[in-house]
């Protein structure tokens, strides 16, 4: 019992040196997680400085006093500062804590070097500096909203150690002649043994906290992954576009609800079926070639418009955006595809093109489209040495109808006129509305004026029957001018001018008649 109460102080100091070396070895074998490297290195540095300090202090008498006392105690302060900082850095990364520990350590070193003139003052100043550092560490460890039980337990041990050092300071001040660093006695023995126990418990506590932080980080990462997975799953299932994955054989391995709705199928029926079955038969060969290039890595990205089919035989247009990626095991490729239903957009494009080339009221070709078709007809006729006819039609008495019954009735009348004119010509001929009540007809491959006259008369006679528009019974006629290619001109402007002149001849000749631009053996006016 007397050996335990009054052991040799140098032996205890040697134990402290061995305890710190043991802690260094234990920590070196510990596999720390990424993100805790800074705290780990600080703790190792702290233990290295403490081991150095106890070695220097224990060698007093064999080395210079300044090296044993000043450098030894300074190393001890730095060691405890690094150790305390390591515990704090497990949860926080603020630089202010580093500055705080540095300030307390430098202050302790300065006070010891200036005022440690007696053995008792050395004990008091050394204990006060280490106690301040450990007390500050305990407070910072407890200054956490989510401090774990283990963290609180380690902090309480630090507090107990600080209280013990505070008692040692008080004893050194009250009984300066009864204490020194190497003086044997129960107080000194208890202090050093507690320091040794603190070294072992602190090292074990740091390892446990390090593991706890690693486990918490792992749990947080798993939780974040689960949240992201849930978010991605919700996005996948509630997306307004079809999303699917296909394996390296082109079979669908995953599909969302929107894809099932888009194709009129269930998700279960889509999974395991070939992606190519979704493509319209007309585009299937092209789609197979592009799918092969994508999955083989010849191309990395694909964006195109494609026609798709449903089991009921209906079709729709979709914009496919696809890329390839490795699967989870990096064994093969997977196709990731997104299909947006663009049927309405395609219909809008068709309507826009139609509006750009067709009269919105009657649906007939407009002046721009007619001019293009006329140019084509002239090139064909010139190449093949053939003729065609251009008919210019102006409605008689239309202005009177418009003024008397309003534009709504007038518009409906124009629509009915367009239908009657269209019924008088072949599908290969072109009918266009080029003005308010003006129409033109391109009669392809009409080699004689007689044939042109037959069609013109057919159009004129079609207006002889009254038009029933709403509750009105309307009677109108039409005046028609005819120009022949190449007889009356070899350019668009020439033919248009001649047919227009012929139409005005018909107007001035009494209306409701056909006039040719050039007098022929056939009656010029009927």
């Amino acid at each position: 019992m007397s050996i335990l109460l009054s052991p040799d102080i140098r032996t205890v100091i040697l134990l402290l040196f061995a305890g710190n070396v043991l802690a260094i070895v234990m920590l070196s074998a510990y596999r720390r997680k990424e993100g805790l490297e800074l705290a780990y290195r600080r703790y190792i540095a702290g233990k290295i400085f403490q081991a150095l300090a106890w070695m220097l202090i224990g060698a007093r008498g064999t080395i210079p006093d300044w090296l044993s006392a000043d450098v030894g105690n300074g190393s001890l302060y730095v060691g405890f500062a690094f150790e305390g900082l390591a515990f704090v850095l497990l949860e926080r990364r603020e630089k202010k804590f580093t500055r705080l520990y540095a300030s307390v350590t430098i202050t302790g070193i300065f006070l010891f070097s200036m005022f440690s003139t007696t053995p008792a003052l050395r004990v008091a100043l050394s204990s006060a500096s280490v106690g301040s550092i450990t007390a500050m560490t305990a407070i910072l460890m407890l200054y956490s909203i989510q401090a774990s039980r283990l963290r609180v337990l380690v902090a309480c041990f630090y507090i107990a150690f600080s209280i013990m050092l505070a008692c040692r300071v008080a004893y050194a001040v009250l009984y300066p002649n009864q204490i020194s660093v190497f003086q044997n006695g129960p107080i000194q023995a208890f202090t050093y043994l507690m320091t040794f126990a603190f070294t072992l418990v602190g090292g074990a506590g740091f390892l446990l906290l390090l593991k706890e932080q690693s486990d918490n980080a792992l749990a947080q990462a798993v939780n974040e992954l689960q949240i992201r997975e849930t978010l991605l799953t919700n996005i996948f299932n509630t997306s307004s576009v079809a999303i699917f994955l296909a394996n390296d054989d082109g079979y669908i391995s995953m599909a969302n609800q929107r894809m099932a709705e888009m194709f009129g199928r269930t998700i279960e029926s889509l999974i395991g079926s070939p992606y190519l079955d979704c493509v319209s038969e007309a585009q299937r060969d092209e789609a197979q070639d592009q799918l092969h290039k994508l999955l083989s890595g010849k191309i990395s990205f694909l964006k195109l418009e494609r026609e798709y089919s449903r089991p009921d035989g209906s079709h729709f247009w979709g914009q496919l955006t696809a890329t390839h990626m490795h699967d989870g095991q990096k064994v093969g490729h997977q196709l990731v595809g997104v299909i947006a239903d663009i049927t309405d957009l395609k219909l809008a494009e068709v309507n826009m093109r139609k509006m750009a080339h067709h009269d919105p009221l009657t649906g007939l070709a407009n002046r721009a489209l007619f001019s293009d078709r006329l140019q084509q007809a002239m090139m064909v006729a010139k190449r093949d040495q053939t003729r065609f006819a251009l008919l210019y039609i102006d409605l008689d008495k239309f202005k009177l109808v418009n003024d008397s019954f309003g534009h709504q009735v007038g518009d409906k009348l124009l629509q009915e006129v367009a239908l009657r004119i269209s019924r008088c010509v072949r599908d290969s001929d072109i009918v266009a509305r080029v003005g308010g009540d003006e129409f033109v007809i391109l009669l392809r491959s009409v080699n004689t004026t007689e044939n042109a006259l037959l069609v013109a008369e057919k159009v004129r006679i079609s207006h002889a029957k009254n038009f029933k528009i709403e509750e009105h019974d309307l009677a109108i006629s039409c005046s028609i001018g005819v120009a022949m290619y190449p007889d009356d001109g070899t350019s668009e402007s020439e033919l248009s001018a001649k047919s227009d002149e012929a139409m005005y001849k018909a107007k001035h000749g009494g209306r409701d008649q056909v006039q040719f631009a050039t007098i022929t053996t056939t009656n010029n006016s009927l």
Side-chain angles (χ1 to χ4, degrees), residues 116-134:
S116 59
T117 55
T118 64
L121 283 175
R122 287 183 176 181
V123 171
L125 289 171
S126 179
S127 299
S129 295
V130 174
S132 299
I133 294 171
T134 54

Side-chain angles (χ1 to χ4, degrees), residues 202-221:
F206 183 77
L207 284 175
L208 291 174
L209 285 174
L210 202 62
K211 183 179 182 303
E212 182 182 68
Q213 286 297 107
S214 298
D215 293 342
N216 291 340
L218 179 60
Q220 184 178 358

Side-chain angles (χ1 to χ4, degrees), residues 150-264:
L150 177 61
R151 193 173 183 83
V152 171
L153 183 62
V154 174
C156 290
F157 190 79
Y158 266 75
I159 291 173
F161 186 69
S162 301
I163 293 172
M164 183 206 70
L165 291 175
C167 293
R168 190 168 185 246
V169 172
Y171 187 85
V173 171
L174 294 174
Y175 307 101
N177 297 324
Q178 298 181 21
I179 191 169
S180 67
V181 174
F182 289 97
Q183 183 176 348
N184 292 325
I187 298 296
Q188 285 289 79
F190 179 76
T191 300
Y192 285 118
L193 289 174
M194 279 294 295
T195 304
F196 177 73
F198 176 81
T199 300
L200 297 180
V201 173
F206 183 77
L207 284 175
L208 291 174
L209 285 174
L210 202 62
K211 183 179 182 303
E212 182 182 68
Q213 286 297 107
S214 298
D215 293 342
N216 291 340
L218 179 60
Q220 184 178 358
V222 171
N223 184 54
E224 288 179 358
L225 284 175
Q226 290 175 341
I227 292 173
R228 290 181 182 181
E229 182 181 4
T230 302
L231 178 62
L232 290 174
T233 301
N234 290 335
I235 293 173
F236 182 78
N237 291 328
T238 60
S239 174
S240 61
V241 295
I243 306 174
F244 70 96
L245 271 70
N247 60 22
D248 53 359
D249 293 323
Y251 285 80
I252 297 173
S253 57
M254 186 179 294
N256 68 347
Q257 182 61 35
R258 178 59 183 136
M259 186 171 185
E261 295 169 355
M262 192 178 291
F263 284 88

Side-chain angles (χ1 to χ4, degrees), residues 60-350:
R60 180 171 296 178
T62 60
I63 60 175
D65 190 60
W66 64 268
L67 184 60
S68 175
D70 296 339
V71 176
N73 280 278
S75 299
L76 191 64
Y77 305 161
V78 173
F80 276 101
F82 271 120
E83 179 180 330
L85 187 59
F87 278 103
V88 176
L89 289 178
L90 284 174
E91 283 195 350
R92 299 179 178 89
R93 292 291 184 271
E94 291 91 339
K95 291 183 179 180
K96 63 181 180 181
F97 295 116
T98 302
R99 293 193 292 267
L100 180 61
Y101 275 97
S103 300
V104 173
T105 303
I106 293 171
T107 301
I109 293 173
F110 173 76
L111 292 175
F112 188 87
S113 62
M114 294 297 295
F115 301 105
S116 59
T117 55
T118 64
L121 283 175
R122 287 183 176 181
V123 171
L125 289 171
S126 179
S127 299
S129 295
V130 174
S132 299
I133 294 171
T134 54
M136 183 173 65
T137 299
I139 293 170
L140 291 176
M141 288 177 66
L142 293 173
Y143 186 65
S144 175
I145 298 176
Q146 297 179 342
S148 64
R149 291 184 179 180
L150 177 61
R151 193 173 183 83
V152 171
L153 183 62
V154 174
C156 290
F157 190 79
Y158 266 75
I159 291 173
F161 186 69
S162 301
I163 293 172
M164 183 206 70
L165 291 175
C167 293
R168 190 168 185 246
V169 172
Y171 187 85
V173 171
L174 294 174
Y175 307 101
N177 297 324
Q178 298 181 21
I179 191 169
S180 67
V181 174
F182 289 97
Q183 183 176 348
N184 292 325
I187 298 296
Q188 285 289 79
F190 179 76
T191 300
Y192 285 118
L193 289 174
M194 279 294 295
T195 304
F196 177 73
F198 176 81
T199 300
L200 297 180
V201 173
F206 183 77
L207 284 175
L208 291 174
L209 285 174
L210 202 62
K211 183 179 182 303
E212 182 182 68
Q213 286 297 107
S214 298
D215 293 342
N216 291 340
L218 179 60
Q220 184 178 358
V222 171
N223 184 54
E224 288 179 358
L225 284 175
Q226 290 175 341
I227 292 173
R228 290 181 182 181
E229 182 181 4
T230 302
L231 178 62
L232 290 174
T233 301
N234 290 335
I235 293 173
F236 182 78
N237 291 328
T238 60
S239 174
S240 61
V241 295
I243 306 174
F244 70 96
L245 271 70
N247 60 22
D248 53 359
D249 293 323
Y251 285 80
I252 297 173
S253 57
M254 186 179 294
N256 68 347
Q257 182 61 35
R258 178 59 183 136
M259 186 171 185
E261 295 169 355
M262 192 178 291
F263 284 88
R265 300 170 61 177
T266 62
I267 295 177
E268 290 75 15
S269 67
L270 283 170
I271 295 175
S273 65
Y275 159 73
L276 293 174
D277 285 356
C278 299
V279 182
S280 67
E281 191 172 350
Q283 298 187 8
R284 200 162 291 172
D285 291 341
E286 178 189 0
Q288 185 174 12
D289 180 61
Q290 291 168 334
L291 179 65
H292 174 71
K293 289 180 180 178
L294 192 63
L295 290 174
S296 63
K298 292 181 179 179
I299 57 175
S300 59
F301 183 78
L302 190 64
K303 185 173 184 180
L304 49 79
E305 295 178 357
R306 175 164 289 160
E307 188 178 22
Y308 291 94
S309 60
R310 300 186 180 95
D312 61 5
S314 61
H315 293 75
F316 70 95
W317 280 93
Q319 184 181 65
L320 170 68
T321 303
T323 186
H324 73 275
M325 67 176 185
H326 285 286
D327 60 20
Q329 288 74 38
K330 295 185 178 181
V331 175
H333 289 88
Q334 283 192 334
L335 180 144
V336 183
V338 176
I339 302 174
D341 189 340
I342 59 169
T343 304
D344 293 340
L345 180 62
K346 295 290 286 187
L347 291 174
E349 289 178 357
V350 171

Side-chain angles (χ1 to χ4, degrees), residues 327-480:
D327 60 20
Q329 288 74 38
K330 295 185 178 181
V331 175
H333 289 88
Q334 283 192 334
L335 180 144
V336 183
V338 176
I339 302 174
D341 189 340
I342 59 169
T343 304
D344 293 340
L345 180 62
K346 295 290 286 187
L347 291 174
E349 289 178 357
V350 171
N351 291 333
M352 288 180 65
R353 285 196 297 268
K354 187 174 181 180
M355 289 175 63
H357 297 97
H358 292 79
D359 174 44
L361 178 62
T362 61
L364 298 176
N366 61 11
R367 187 182 295 274
L369 180 58
F370 186 82
S371 175
D372 179 70
R373 298 296 185 267
L374 182 58
Q375 294 287 341
Q376 294 179 19
M378 286 190 292
M379 288 189 291
V380 173
K382 182 178 180 180
R383 182 192 64 195
D384 299 339
Q385 298 296 305
T386 57
R387 303 168 75 193
F388 66 82
L390 177 63
L391 280 60
Y392 202 108
I393 306 168
D394 187 85
L395 301 182
D396 303 325
K397 304 177 185 177
F398 177 76
K399 186 176 184 301
L400 179 61
V401 173
N402 224 18
D403 293 343
S404 301
F405 302 106
H407 291 288
Q408 183 174 349
V409 172
D411 288 345
K412 291 183 178 180
L413 177 59
L414 289 172
Q415 291 172 340
E416 185 63 30
V417 167
L419 288 175
R420 291 191 185 186
I421 294 175
S422 298
R423 295 191 188 108
C424 297
V425 299
R426 301 164 297 182
D427 291 340
S428 59
D429 300 325
I430 303 296
V431 181
R433 181 184 175 216
V434 294
D437 60 348
E438 297 175 347
F439 299 82
V440 289
I441 302 175
L442 172 62
L443 299 177
R444 300 176 186 270
S445 301
V446 177
N447 292 321
T448 65
T449 56
E450 288 84 355
N451 291 336
L453 180 60
L454 286 174
V455 177
E457 277 297 302
K458 189 177 180 181
V459 173
R460 186 186 66 81
I461 294 171
S462 71
H463 288 66
K465 183 180 179 181
N466 288 359
F467 293 83
K468 186 69 175 178
I469 306 298
E470 295 182 353
E471 71 275 9
H472 307 294
D473 195 23
L474 306 175
I476 64 170
S477 59
C478 64
S479 298
I480 304 174

